[in-house]
């Protein structure tokens, strides 16, 4: 089959970053098409990836501006408190913070955030479902299952060939298909990064007692362990194991998995039951050396894939989507070529520093906490105690985690473009 279709933007990848960008771009008058190798319905299944995501309050403003927030809100659990402690000290289950214990409370920044929580925990399938409904309602074309096999760029348009032989000629191609981005490879954009030799183990549990909208981050020598509140008195557990242990957990029986969970974290997980499937993901860092190329732009994990320690990967990707859509919509209104180098460079300059700085910061954070050397442990405990005692520092960390700092795109301020 061979035909030629023209759009303003072809988006490779209909996941959360790609679908959000499609909604934002379409809202601004751009004709877009989403292409994804997975059937659209498959992304809505509870077994698709099992993960939940910490949505920054600024990102939720974006969902509201795109008409997605209302459908998400019943499934979003507020995080009003975050408790952080170092691995060998009691703390995350304690009522009072110790000197090496860090506590963040939404009330401290309520005047500036309008009473927003520090963030919201939402299951990925709920986000995908709300986005899918909005994409369908907006009349955005979705080609799925379909996959990009080649991208050629010319002076006025790109030429994208799909696996079924169909040819599409958009003004711009956006790579939003994750770490193994075909669009990024076609644009000859290299990446830098490394494996951590770790795996992220993810499970959802039913809690025996109310979690109180509190998120716990508990650091161990092998990596962090997080208890993140969900609706219906459930929690998402995310912990880091060595690759060897992660692979063992992937194939372990349900009984063995539960026994391991209780042995490691029983003091924090009194009376819990694992519900639904469990998942194990290898952890690595990957950063694209460029965000743009001729008639090409990258967003989300195609541009930067980070360690999940701070739960900021999706928020970074959605900030990319907000920034790129704003740049393109403004260019469209000015009558500019949205795929031109001068337009795409505005997006790259806007997002490059933030992406590199956050990626490097998360990597340093992982390395600081994923070891048990006494001098390092002492230094980080002193750092935790210092931040805990200085309100201005705590508030700065909370605003950064909420995505409310820096040159924010309009959508992250809750405004339409």
């Amino acid at each position: 089959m061979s035909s030629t279709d023209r759009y303003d933007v072809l988006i490779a990848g209909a996941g959360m970053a790609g679908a959000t960008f499609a909604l934002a771009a379409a809202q601004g008058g751009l004709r877009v098409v989403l292409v994804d190798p997975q059937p659209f319905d498959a992304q809505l299944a509870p077994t698709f990836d099992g993960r939940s995501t910490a949505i920054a309050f600024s990102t939720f403003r974006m969902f509201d501006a795109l008409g997605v927030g209302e459908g998400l809100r019943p499934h979003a659990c507020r995080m009003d408190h975050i408790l952080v402690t170092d691995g060998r000290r009691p703390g995350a289950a304690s009522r009072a913070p110790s000197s090496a214990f860090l506590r963040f409370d939404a009330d401290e920044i309520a005047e500036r955030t309008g009473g927003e929580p520090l963030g919201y925990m939402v299951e990925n399938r709920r986000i995908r479902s709300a986005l899918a409904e909005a994409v369908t309602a907006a009349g955005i074309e979705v080609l799925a299952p379909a996959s990009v096999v080649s991208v050629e760029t010319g002076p006025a348009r790109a030429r994208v060939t799909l696996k079924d032989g169909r040819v599409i000629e958009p003004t711009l191609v956006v790579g939003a298909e994750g770490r193994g981005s075909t669009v990024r490879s076609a644009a000859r954009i290299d990446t830098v990064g490394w494996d951590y030799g770790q795996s992220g183990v993810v499970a959802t549990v039913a809690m025996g007692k109310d979690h109180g909208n509190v998120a716990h981050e508990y650091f161990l020598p092998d990596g962090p362990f997080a208890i993140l509140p969900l609706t219906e008195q459930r929690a998402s557990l995310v912990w880091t194991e060595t690759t060897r242990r992660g692979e063992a957990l992937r194939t372990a029986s349900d009984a063995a998995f539960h026994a391991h969970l209780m042995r490691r974290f029983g003091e924090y997980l009194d009376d819990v039951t694992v519900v639904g499937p469990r998942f194990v993901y290898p952890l690595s860092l990957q950063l694209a050396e460029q965000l743009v190329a001729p008639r090409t732009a990258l967003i989300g994990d195609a541009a930067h894939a980070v360690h999940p320690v701070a739960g900021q990967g999706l928020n970074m990707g959605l900030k990319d989507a907000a920034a790129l859509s704003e740049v393109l919509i403004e260019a469209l209104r000015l009558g500019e070529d949205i795929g031109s180098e001068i337009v795409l460079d505005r997006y790259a300059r806007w997002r490059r520093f933030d992406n590199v700085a956050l990626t490097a910061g998360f990597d340093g954070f992982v390395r600081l906490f994923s070891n048990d050397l006494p001098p390092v442990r002492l230094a980080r405990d002193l750092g935790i105690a210092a931040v805990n005692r200085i309100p201005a520092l705590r508030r700065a960390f909370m605003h950064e985690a909420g995505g409310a700092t820096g040159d924010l795109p309009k959508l992250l301020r809750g405004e339409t473009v």
Side-chain angles (χ1 to χ4, degrees):
M1 184 175 77
S2 180
S3 64
T4 301
D5 292 318
R6 292 193 169 189
Y7 298 86
D8 294 317
V9 187
L10 180 145
I11 306 155
M16 292 184 286
T20 301
F21 171 74
L23 285 171
Q27 193 176 79
L30 290 161
R31 188 177 178 219
V32 303
V33 59
L34 281 161
V35 178
D36 196 278
Q38 294 280 347
F40 212 36
D41 291 346
Q43 296 197 43
L44 311 183
T47 54
F48 185 75
D49 72 4
R51 286 176 283 194
S52 300
T53 296
I55 301 294
F57 62 78
S58 62
T59 303
F60 219 99
R61 292 174 188 165
M62 178 179 180
F63 283 148
D64 283 331
L66 294 175
V68 177
E70 186 177 353
L72 270 183
R73 214 165 284 279
H75 308 292
C77 184
R78 290 175 61 103
M79 287 191 293
D80 291 313
H81 314 281
I82 300 176
L83 308 181
V84 182
T85 192
D86 211 349
R88 289 190 178 171
R89 294 181 183 274
S94 302
R95 292 185 179 177
S98 70
S99 61
F101 184 96
L102 186 53
R103 182 184 181 98
F104 297 113
D105 291 302
D107 290 345
E108 281 197 67
I109 58 173
E111 288 184 7
R112 291 182 59 185
T113 64
E116 294 275 16
L118 299 173
Y120 298 86
M121 280 301 300
V122 191
E123 292 167 277
N124 286 9
R125 66 189 176 101
R126 300 295 190 184
I127 302 172
R128 288 194 172 93
S129 180
L131 288 170
E133 288 179 13
V135 163
T136 301
I140 295 170
E141 189 169 355
V142 180
L143 303 180
S147 54
V148 173
V149 294
S150 70
V151 181
E152 302 167 43
T153 56
R157 288 190 170 272
R159 183 180 174 87
V160 179
T161 304
L162 305 184
K163 189 174 182 180
D164 64 5
R166 186 170 181 173
V167 175
I168 300 175
E169 294 190 347
T171 307
L172 175 68
V173 180
V174 172
E177 70 274 60
R179 291 171 182 261
S181 171
T182 300
V183 171
R184 186 186 63 227
S185 298
R188 295 184 172 85
I189 297 176
D190 292 331
T191 62
V192 294
W194 43 82
D195 292 329
Y196 286 106
Q198 299 173 325
S199 292
V201 182
V202 179
T204 300
V205 298
M207 306 287 285
K209 56 186 176 182
D210 185 12
H211 50 54
N213 296 349
V214 180
H216 299 275
E217 190 86 28
Y218 177 66
F219 285 97
L220 301 166
D222 285 336
F225 168 58
I227 308 171
L228 306 169
L230 293 173
T231 54
E232 301 169 6
Q233 203 168 308
R234 297 171 303 147
S236 175
L237 307 185
V238 185
W239 80 91
T240 305
E241 291 284 7
T242 62
T243 299
R244 180 178 60 81
R245 285 180 183 156
E247 288 306 308
L249 286 169
R250 187 193 302 275
T251 56
S253 66
D254 290 347
F257 181 85
H258 190 269
H260 175 81
L261 183 64
M262 291 301 102
R263 187 166 60 250
R264 293 293 301 275
F265 309 118
E267 61 184 301
Y268 299 100
L269 298 174
D270 182 35
D271 191 22
V272 302
T273 305
V274 178
V275 293
R278 59 181 185 268
F279 302 85
V280 181
Y281 301 96
L283 301 181
S284 62
L285 177 146
Q286 182 177 281
L287 182 67
E289 293 184 349
Q290 298 165 260
L291 289 175
V292 298
R295 305 219 162 266
T296 302
L298 304 178
I299 64 173
D301 282 2
H304 44 73
V306 300
H307 195 289
V309 60
Q312 291 297 312
L314 179 62
N315 293 299
M316 290 170 66
L318 297 188
K319 191 179 283 189
D320 294 339
L324 181 59
S325 60
E326 187 170 327
V327 166
L328 298 182
I329 291 165
E330 289 181 352
L332 179 72
R333 290 170 181 166
L334 292 171
E336 296 178 290
D337 176 359
I338 64 167
S340 67
E341 182 180 348
I342 191 168
V343 170
L344 295 181
D345 190 54
R346 292 175 200 152
Y347 164 65
R349 283 187 284 111
W350 194 352
R351 293 297 298 140
R352 184 183 296 120
F353 177 78
D354 189 43
N355 283 338
V356 172
L358 285 173
T359 301
F362 297 150
D363 181 65
F365 198 67
V366 170
R367 295 179 188 279
L368 174 64
F369 279 93
S370 292
N371 68 70
D372 206 28
L373 295 173
V376 177
R377 176 177 288 278
L378 175 62
R380 68 193 185 218
D381 282 358
L382 290 173
I384 286 173
V387 173
N388 206 41
R389 291 174 179 176
I390 303 173
L393 267 179
R394 279 201 314 276
R395 287 194 289 269
F397 275 111
M398 286 187 277
H399 280 293
E400 183 66 42
T405 58
D407 185 9
L408 285 183
K410 290 179 182 178
L411 284 169
L412 291 174
R413 299 197 298 266
E415 304 169 16
T416 56
V417 181

